[in-house]
Amino acid sequence: MSDNHAKMKHSIGTSNRWEMYLDNREVILEMRNITKKFPGVTANDDISFSLKKGEVLALLGENGAGKSSLMNVLVGLYRADAGSIYVNGQKVSITSPSVSSSLGIGMIHQEFMLVDTMTVAENIILGIKDLNLVPDMKAISEKISEISEQYQLKVNPSSYIWQLSVGERQRVEILKLIFRGANILILDEPTAVLTPQESKELNGIINQMKKEGKSAIFITHKMDEVMAFSEDVYVLKQGKLVASKRTSDTNPKELARMMVGREVLFQFDKGEYKPGKSVLTVKDLCAVNSKGLEALKTISFEVKSGEIFGIAGVAGNGQQQLIDSVTGLQKIRCGSVYINESDCSNKNPIDYIKAGVSYIPSDRLGMGVAGTMTVLNNLAMKGYRDKPFSSHGLLIKSYFKKFAENMIDLFRISTPGPETIVKFLSGGNIQKAILAREIDSCRNLLVAAYPSRGLDVGATQAVRTRLIEQRDEGKAVLLVSEELDELLMIADRIAVMFEGEFMGIVDSSNTDREELGLMMTGMKRDQVK
Amino acid sequence: MKFVFEKRKTQLKRLLFLIPFISFVGSLFLSGLLLLAFKTNPLMVYGAMFKGAFGNWFNFQETLVKAIPLMLAGCGVIIAFRMRFWNIGAEGQLVMGGIFAAWVSLFLIDFIPPWLVLPAAFTAALIGGGLWAGIPAILKAKLGVDETLTSLMLNYVAIIFCQYLYNVVWIDPNGYGFPGSKIFDKAAWLPRLTGRVHLGLIFALIIALVLWFMLKKTKWGFELKIIGESPMTAKYLGINIPKNIIIALFISGGISGIAGMGEVTGIAHRLTHGLDMGYGFTAIIIAWMSQLNPIAAIFVSILMSVLLVGGDQVQRTMGLPSAIGLLLQGMILFPLLAGALFSEYRVKSIKSIGEAVK
């Protein structure tokens, strides 16, 4: 795994004094026998755990395993159906987020709750009740600076939020909680939005917090995070606590197995690479972004049947415009897009759909599904135009149902039923539903944008397996991803995008992370070699 | 015991039916408080209203007569609202439909055989209302102009244009200056079923049924729903949003236009005041209360009509302002909007275990 993991293991494993200190720390939080039910699902089933002062623990589990529900109970967003919570040995009843924050418990959600147009200091005091009518901003800024120095949370109190990077915003969130006296910090997948560099800094911040006696709980499905940050790890599966371990006593493989309840294949069975004729042909394509600025500069490539063509690169280098241009969602400035030798340049999405192009978009809830409609309807959204979904303009609802049940079964979509509103599903299951619909309707080309982003191990594996299946069936797959491991694992050829251009196209069997990494930073392939 | 709100993981279907009902009861209660403040016994008022609307055959007919334009305009609004297109211009579309029908009945009638007059008036009303709704639709589809403002303002353009017509341009020269056109030729009178209840009732029922079928069972209804629930998804699925907005709004306005035709050719038999009675605005409440279901809109329209007719009756028998009916209508919206909360959240009681902190 990562270097951090090794270091952490080392420091914990060798120092006896540290080990003893660990055991003598007082327990500051206990959740006992927490059960939380929703209609049709038990989100938490009799879960108990305790957290010590200065301890960092990880809650590991797949999407929908019950991690977020458990933490929402702790911060007062949900009420448990059974069980009790003890803070500093006292039984407490957490009825709202304000109660939990007065108990020193604070949560940092994946989407930051910051006001863009206000400064760091203003955001930090926002919502604090016992402030003067005109708060003494100078004193507040000083206190903020003091805390940020103490915890190595470098951020300027007078900066506006919109000026800050994602990593800095996260620091503001942490600062906000500490400023308000939080002793227990809950972090919901904190590194999902961070660059590797920022993740390393977060590691430093967490260590500093531990030294200052703060405790933290990580909600995560990433092994790196667990190994790098936590001392104890609790594994949740389908609402149940299936294991609790000292992090130093376990390893990513074992954790992954406990989390998904089966051996995770990190390798895929991939048929021989036998590219056929070109399905998608892009010639000298250029296009602008929504602000009218040049986003693609004369890009040319082909995706052949029976291959997965990967596009690597840091997000925002024109990938979205490229995808939109080959699915009809945006107009192109020059060049041409051919699907199977028919010219589709500047045609509409419907023409691409009719040409047999399927598309798994990165914005799942916004674009991939209509969140307020049922699973059944969402699954039928590609097929509804033709038989057997409809005939003579009339929908055949009995087929909708049959189709949905079939897809739910085939793609292992975990849902209470086909009539469930899709936004109530977990992220992984929403993605599985989109995957089911798009793969079922795919005839020639499958475009997948960041298909495994934010998914747990099980769902990620399902997505990748399906993409390979499509390739082996002789379809062309265009895969845009930020994860080099994913691309190296399943793509046949990889193009690296930088500032609207391809830095080069390489065979995945003939390249490595290093080469791709250099190209991602703007080096052309011939310069790398 | 304490109560808190908690987000539901699923939506409850039966709540969709319960909420409008509870809202109506809530409205009776809230309005009752107001009536009490004016030292009037609400039960007596409600009793008088009920009697006024159902008390005898004549009153009941009147309730049906007023329900006709409500049903039609309600159905018109429902199509637009299904797409989350906030067409609050049903009033103006109704008036325009009336004007177009009046034009056929006053002028075109001289050039066509008598049997064609009513079908022509029907078509003209559909086109008139449809075009009037088409203006905000095209502005929205092509230029992204907010439809709430444009459709609202066009109401007043239509109403005042109509006044101009019956006060000045089309005024009956033999009418002793009474504002209104001349009485139409009999060929342009919409047949009556009984009393003042005209054929428009049948139009309304058929349109509601057809609309329900269209929204529920056809591909086009499915597309409208997707556009309404998630425009981004609709675009991604290759659905032509501008085209659908324009077609749907033409139909939406057209149906309201037919309501105007019913009033002009079925009741007044001339173009005169009384078209802008607020049916188009009440239609918005009807659309919400029927949860955008055209079949439900039939019954809700009758209920609203009861309030209108009952309100008139209260004025006559108890000397109270007839606006009480409108007050009750408006009061329904408050609990109705609050009710939307309960379909997304549930109330949980907390038996306080241990000590609540602070």
Side-chain angles (χ1 to χ4, degrees):
Chain A
M1 220 65 226
S2 64
D3 298 357
N4 291 331
H5 163 220
K7 257 186 243 152
M8 183 71 84
K9 215 170 168 182
H10 181 74
S11 68
I12 293 172
T14 53
S15 160
N16 275 329
R17 251 177 44 214
W18 179 242
E19 197 79 65
M20 273 173 63
Y21 169 64
L22 279 176
D23 288 337
N24 291 335
R25 290 174 299 177
E26 55 178 317
V27 172
I28 56 166
L29 170 73
E30 252 194 293
M31 291 184 91
R32 284 191 202 158
N33 311 102
I34 300 289
T35 297
K36 174 70 195 166
K37 285 180 179 148
F38 291 106
V41 253
T42 303
N44 297 133
D45 189 357
D46 194 25
I47 293 181
S48 305
F49 75 89
S50 64
L51 177 70
K52 296 189 194 102
K53 190 174 180 185
E55 185 185 30
V56 176
L57 66 79
L59 282 180
L60 180 69
E62 292 190 282
N63 297 319
K67 300 162 296 186
S68 298
S69 298
L70 186 65
M71 289 301 107
N72 282 334
V73 167
L74 182 56
V75 297
L77 287 168
Y78 289 161
R79 291 283 306 171
D81 296 302
S84 44
I85 303 171
Y86 294 79
V87 175
N88 295 321
Q90 291 270 342
K91 193 171 184 179
V92 294
S93 162
I94 299 175
T95 50
S96 74
S98 63
V99 174
S100 69
S101 94
S102 70
L103 288 168
I105 302 168
M107 180 156 171
I108 297 168
H109 296 270
Q110 259 184 59
E111 294 89 30
F112 300 145
M113 316 258 175
L114 298 169
V115 184
D116 273 2
T117 51
M118 292 170 83
T119 65
V120 170
E122 283 165 346
N123 266 284
I124 286 173
I125 60 164
L126 203 64
I128 296 181
K129 280 174 190 144
D130 46 358
L131 275 180
N132 295 331
L133 192 59
V134 182
D136 183 356
M137 289 311 285
K138 208 175 147 218
I140 289 164
S141 290
E142 269 167 24
K143 193 175 167 203
I144 292 171
S145 302
E146 202 178 288
I147 297 174
S148 60
E149 198 133 307
Q150 191 181 351
Y151 289 90
Q152 302 174 5
L153 291 157
K154 278 162 281 166
V155 64
N156 178 2
S158 55
S159 302
Y160 285 94
I161 299 298
W162 58 264
Q163 298 171 317
L164 304 182
S165 71
V166 177
E168 287 172 312
R169 287 176 201 211
Q170 189 177 53
R171 270 177 249 158
V172 177
E173 288 277 17
I174 297 174
L175 255 178
K176 194 161 90 179
L177 294 183
I178 295 177
F179 185 90
R180 292 169 187 202
N183 292 316
I184 302 167
L185 286 86
I186 304 163
L187 296 105
D188 190 357
E189 293 182 22
T191 64
V193 290
L194 300 184
T195 63
Q197 197 58 38
E198 287 172 326
S199 298
K200 227 172 238 171
E201 283 176 36
L202 180 64
N203 202 355
I205 292 166
I206 300 288
N207 284 334
Q208 189 63 31
M209 276 172 30
K210 276 165 62 173
K211 274 189 202 140
E212 301 285 341
K214 308 269 183 203
S215 315
I217 302 172
F218 278 80
I219 306 177
T220 184
H221 53 62
K222 284 191 178 169
M223 299 306 162
D224 314 27
E225 253 172 48
V226 175
M227 300 317 287
F229 296 135
S230 71
E231 296 163 42
D232 281 341
V233 50
Y234 290 79
V235 185
L236 294 185
K237 183 171 181 266
Q238 288 170 357
K240 289 197 177 72
L241 186 64
V242 290
S244 59
K245 289 237 167 198
R246 225 347 118 70
T247 309
S248 51
D249 294 343
T250 183
N251 59 59
K253 269 227 164 102
E254 186 190 27
L255 287 173
R257 194 176 56 237
M258 292 190 292
M259 183 166 105
V260 297
R262 58 183 180 267
E263 279 290 350
V264 176
L265 293 171
F266 285 108
Q267 286 298 317
F268 292 92
D269 287 335
K270 221 168 120 183
E272 204 189 323
Y273 178 43
K274 282 182 289 186
K277 64 179 176 52
S278 167
V279 175
L280 170 69
T281 312
V282 173
K283 249 192 216 127
D284 302 324
L285 174 71
C286 60
V288 293
N289 62 18
S290 56
K291 292 182 183 122
L293 303 172
E294 188 179 45
L296 296 176
K297 310 167 191 167
T298 55
I299 282 191
S300 300
F301 66 100
E302 292 182 339
V303 184
K304 301 191 175 85
S305 73
E307 82 165 342
I308 297 180
F309 187 89
I311 292 181
V314 178
N317 273 298
Q319 292 96 324
Q320 193 59 49
Q321 285 77 17
L322 179 60
I323 296 167
D324 287 351
S325 299
V326 301
T327 51
L329 285 162
Q330 91 158 71
K331 298 283 169 229
I332 60 178
R333 266 281 164 85
C334 58
S336 57
V337 179
Y338 280 78
I339 306 288
N340 275 345
E341 285 138 38
S342 77
D343 188 357
C344 287
S345 319
N346 274 332
K347 292 239 175 111
N348 293 313
I350 184 74
D351 301 305
Y352 282 88
I353 292 169
K354 283 183 178 154
V357 177
S358 281
Y359 172 29
I360 298 163
S362 57
D363 181 6
R364 288 165 205 153
L365 257 177
M367 185 181 263
V369 293
T372 47
M373 292 173 74
T374 58
V375 174
L376 175 126
N377 280 332
N378 270 290
L379 283 170
M381 275 177 188
K382 266 283 158 67
Y384 77 93
R385 289 189 180 92
D386 305 303
K387 281 181 181 166
F389 288 92
S390 66
S391 95
H392 305 295
L394 300 183
L395 301 177
I396 300 166
K397 282 284 183 165
S398 56
Y399 187 77
F400 272 50
K401 183 136 191 268
K402 210 170 108 193
F403 178 75
E405 280 164 357
N406 197 3
M407 286 295 129
I408 288 169
D409 201 40
L410 210 61
F411 285 79
R412 302 208 178 92
I413 304 167
S414 153
T415 165
E419 300 283 353
T420 303
I421 303 289
V422 100
K423 72 172 174 188
F424 293 125
L425 301 188
S426 69
N429 283 306
I430 291 176
Q431 182 71 332
K432 281 184 193 170
I434 297 173
L435 202 66
R437 183 186 68 208
E438 294 308 309
I439 283 180
D440 181 76
S441 65
C442 178
R443 283 182 289 112
N444 291 314
L445 172 68
L446 179 63
V447 180
Y450 312 103
S452 59
R453 188 194 263 172
L455 302 188
D456 57 56
V457 179
T460 300
Q461 198 198 349
V463 168
R464 290 175 184 166
T465 312
R466 296 293 177 183
L467 294 182
I468 292 171
E469 249 172 49
Q470 290 303 297
R471 161 200 187 262
D472 289 348
E473 280 175 24
K475 283 164 198 161
V477 179
L478 178 64
L479 167 66
V480 179
S481 175
E482 286 163 320
E483 284 189 53
L484 293 181
D485 290 333
E486 175 170 84
L487 290 167
L488 287 168
M489 212 183 301
I490 70 172
D492 298 300
R493 293 189 295 151
I494 302 170
V496 183
M497 254 186 127
F498 179 76
E499 293 189 343
E501 280 181 280
F502 279 175
M503 293 292 107
I505 299 174
V506 292
D507 287 339
S508 64
S509 55
N510 200 13
T511 186
D512 51 32
R513 293 178 61 94
E514 204 175 326
E515 187 185 30
L516 293 174
L518 286 169
M519 284 159 74
M520 276 166 70
T521 55
M523 217 180 265
K524 293 253 190 207
R525 177 140 199 251
D526 33 6
Q527 292 171 296
V528 176
K529 284 283 159 182
Chain B
M1 283 277 259
K2 244 181 109 177
F3 294 97
V4 289
F5 284 106
E6 187 176 270
K7 212 165 168 74
R8 288 178 192 280
K9 280 243 158 170
T10 51
Q11 270 170 326
L12 281 188
K13 273 236 159 123
R14 69 191 140 91
L15 267 181
L16 291 180
F17 300 104
L18 258 178
I19 287 166
F21 179 75
I22 296 170
S23 305
F24 180 65
V25 176
S27 146
L28 290 181
F29 177 75
L30 289 175
S31 309
L33 291 181
L34 259 174
L35 289 171
L36 277 178
F38 287 100
K39 299 196 168 48
T40 314
N41 181 349
L43 292 179
M44 269 176 66
V45 174
Y46 295 156
M49 288 178 80
F50 185 81
K51 243 173 91 182
F54 291 111
N56 56 46
W57 179 233
F58 175 80
N59 288 1
F60 180 63
Q61 280 179 27
E62 207 47 32
T63 304
L64 281 183
V65 167
K66 293 215 165 156
I68 296 169
L70 292 177
M71 288 176 194
L72 286 164
C75 285
V77 170
I78 282 173
I79 307 179
F81 279 16
R82 279 262 176 152
M83 305 178 77
R84 302 281 193 276
F85 186 102
W86 307 120
N87 172 21
I88 49 177
E91 185 82 352
Q93 290 142 25
L94 181 151
V95 169
M96 272 326 236
I99 291 173
F100 272 55
W103 176 79
V104 170
S105 310
L106 288 170
F107 304 106
L108 194 67
I109 194 167
D110 297 336
F111 304 98
I112 54 176
W115 61 266
L116 197 60
V117 175
L118 281 171
F122 184 93
T123 315
L126 187 80
I127 293 172
L131 290 179
W132 210 241
I135 298 171
I138 289 170
L139 286 173
K140 164 91 171 194
K142 299 290 175 198
L143 300 170
V145 180
D146 184 86
E147 74 276 14
T148 328
L149 277 177
T150 46
S151 65
L152 176 71
M153 291 191 294
L154 283 171
N155 283 330
Y156 302 105
V157 178
I159 290 169
I160 292 169
F161 178 58
C162 182
Q163 289 171 356
Y164 173 65
L165 286 179
Y166 66 69
N167 275 310
V168 182
V169 187
W170 291 351
I171 193 165
D172 182 6
N174 309 318
Y176 309 103
F178 180 78
S181 74
K182 76 175 168 88
I183 302 275
F184 302 152
D185 191 276
K186 284 258 160 103
W189 290 20
L190 198 59
R192 287 185 172 172
L193 305 172
T194 170
R196 301 206 315 147
V197 181
H198 54 83
L199 199 61
L201 182 64
I202 307 295
F203 294 165
L205 295 178
I206 293 173
I207 286 172
L209 274 171
V210 170
L211 195 59
W212 173 83
F213 183 81
M214 196 229 55
L215 291 175
K216 196 93 187 163
K217 305 278 179 190
T218 68
K219 279 198 314 197
W220 193 53
F222 191 58
E223 288 182 350
L224 292 193
K225 188 168 165 66
I226 298 172
I227 294 174
E229 303 288 342
S230 174
M232 278 275 278
T233 308
K235 189 181 172 199
Y236 152 79
L237 294 170
I239 297 170
N240 187 334
I241 300 178
K243 189 178 111 191
N244 277 302
I245 286 183
I246 292 168
I247 296 175
L249 261 288
F250 183 86
I251 297 175
S252 163
I255 296 176
S256 294
I258 291 166
M261 175 226 178
E263 293 303 287
V264 169
T265 61
I267 305 282
H269 302 151
R270 68 199 312 191
L271 189 70
T272 181
H273 60 80
L275 262 183
D276 51 330
M277 293 283 284
Y279 296 126
F281 293 116
T282 304
I284 297 166
I285 304 176
I286 292 170
W288 274 131
M289 212 174 152
S290 56
Q291 312 273 336
L292 305 188
N293 180 333
I295 304 287
I298 295 173
F299 299 100
V300 176
S301 297
I302 293 174
L303 181 69
M304 290 293 145
S305 175
V306 167
L307 297 180
L308 282 181
V309 176
D312 285 344
Q313 212 63 23
V314 168
Q315 180 172 33
R316 235 173 287 158
T317 56
M318 296 181 72
L320 289 167
S322 69
I324 284 175
L326 295 175
L327 179 83
L328 272 164
Q329 279 186 3
M331 280 288 187
I332 290 176
L333 265 186
F334 287 100
L336 198 59
L337 294 176
L341 181 78
F342 291 96
S343 64
E344 286 235 7
Y345 293 84
R346 61 176 172 178
V347 182
K348 258 203 119 173
S349 66
I350 299 167
K351 291 172 221 87
S352 42
I353 35 170
E355 235 182 313
V357 177
K358 280 190 185 173

